[in-house]
Amino acid sequence: AQSVTQLDSHVSVSEGTPVLLRCNYSSSYSPSLFWYVQHPNKGLQLLLKYTSAATLVKGINGFEAEFKKSETSFHLTKPSAHMSDAAEYFCVVSKRPSGTYKYIFGTGTRLKVLA
Amino acid sequence: GAGVSQSPSNKVTEKGKDVELRCDPISGHTALYWYRQSLGQGLEFLIYFQGNSAPDKSGLPSDRFSAERTGGSVSTLTIQRTQQEDSAVYLCASSPEVSTDTQYFGPGTRLTVL
């Protein structure tokens, strides 16, 4: 079985401070992992993805994530939060357990950025 | 270029009625995906198409749900005999191929079953 757990449903940070959104996954196979962002009243947008190449993945808007197999984690980070980062973030695992694809979304982390 | 479009944007229906939700993927994208986003349930993967074929329908919540895709383009998600628990935002996405390609999401259809 495979699943993804986002450890925090809400995260608040001050503008200019670092962001850490945590994601742990479980998978019997080598997964592909993604982070998507959903701004209010806007569609989901890909931030970054890990597909078994470099373990440190850089995405858009200054975000990055590190795949750590030993910790089964794929945490999302950004050195300095901006007001425009306020949104909901989803960690996603993709797998092909029997030749067909499954996409499992985490329950989301709502990021609030304080002025 | 044009993104993924979905229609209608909002749909209010009475319990027991059938509804059809439409998705127009980005031109040339062979893969198309349907998701359901509901309060308290998060984002739930329903089904994907590779071309016109859906290899795995086990993610559909019940046999009242069906999906089809014709001409490798437009897809329709049909819900028969709607129930109140079907109320949710239904999202469609497309990508050039299945696998690890980035999925491009549409704005969704908000379905309310009274």
Side-chain angles (χ1 to χ4, degrees), chain A residues 47-102:
Chain A
L47 276 178
L48 49 80
K49 63 181 178 182
Y50 166 77
T51 56
S52 74
T55 56
L56 181 62
V57 182
K58 294 188 183 296
I60 62 171
N61 301 336
F63 284 94
E64 62 181 40
E66 187 171 7
F67 173 71
K68 291 187 176 180
K69 187 175 181 178
S70 61
E71 298 177 9
T72 61
S73 69
F74 191 57
H75 301 333
L76 182 70
T77 60
K78 182 173 180 178
S80 176
H82 191 272
M83 297 298 288
S84 61
D85 295 328
E88 188 149 23
Y89 293 78
F90 295 93
C91 183
V92 185
V93 62
S94 164
K95 212 26 227 156
R96 296 184 69 183
S98 54
T100 62
Y101 286 88
K102 302 283 186 186

Side-chain angles (χ1 to χ4, degrees), chain A residues 1-4 26-29 93-97 102-104:
Chain A
Q2 58 186 53
S3 67
V4 56
S26 66
S27 176
S28 304
Y29 309 88
V93 62
S94 164
K95 212 26 227 156
R96 296 184 69 183
K102 302 283 186 186
Y103 300 91
I104 312 298

Side-chain angles (χ1 to χ4, degrees), chain B residues 33 77 86 108:
Chain B
Y33 314 80
L77 179 69
D86 299 333

